[in-house]
Amino acid sequence: MQGYLHRMMLSEDPKDILEDALKGVDDYGVHYSEELVRGDLDSESRQIVEEVIDTNRRHADFLRQLLQH
């Protein structure tokens, strides 16, 4: 049911799709992930997490660039 409702709510407008993707990457891929990793992590785990967050930042930047065109 959730999958059906999600498909019904999705826009077919490319700009809307990019904005939704950017919001997801920004909210969950960067900001939420940063909050989750605050605290006690060993140095190796912290390095891995920071690499993933950096990758998500690059993805968000790319989506922002697409939205500017």
Side-chain angles (χ1 to χ4, degrees):
M1 183 66 170
Q2 180 184 6
Y4 174 76
L5 289 175
H6 184 69
R7 283 192 299 277
M8 295 298 293
M9 294 173 50
L10 286 178
S11 172
E12 292 185 20
D13 180 5
K15 183 179 179 193
D16 291 340
I17 294 169
L18 289 172
E19 287 172 348
D20 285 345
L22 176 58
K23 181 172 175 31
V25 170
D26 243 357
D27 288 352
Y28 297 105
V30 177
H31 301 296
Y32 184 67
S33 296
E34 287 175 332
E35 288 179 24
L36 284 175
V37 300
R38 287 187 187 147
D40 296 332
L41 283 180
D42 61 85
S43 62
E44 184 178 350
S45 296
R46 181 169 301 283
Q47 180 181 356
I48 292 168
V49 168
E50 289 187 10
E51 288 174 11
V52 170
I53 292 172
D54 286 343
T55 298
N56 286 327
R57 282 190 187 108
R58 286 192 300 276
H59 291 166
D61 288 343
F62 178 71
L63 290 169
R64 280 188 196 89
Q65 289 174 7
L66 290 175
L67 284 166
Q68 291 177 355
H69 298 288

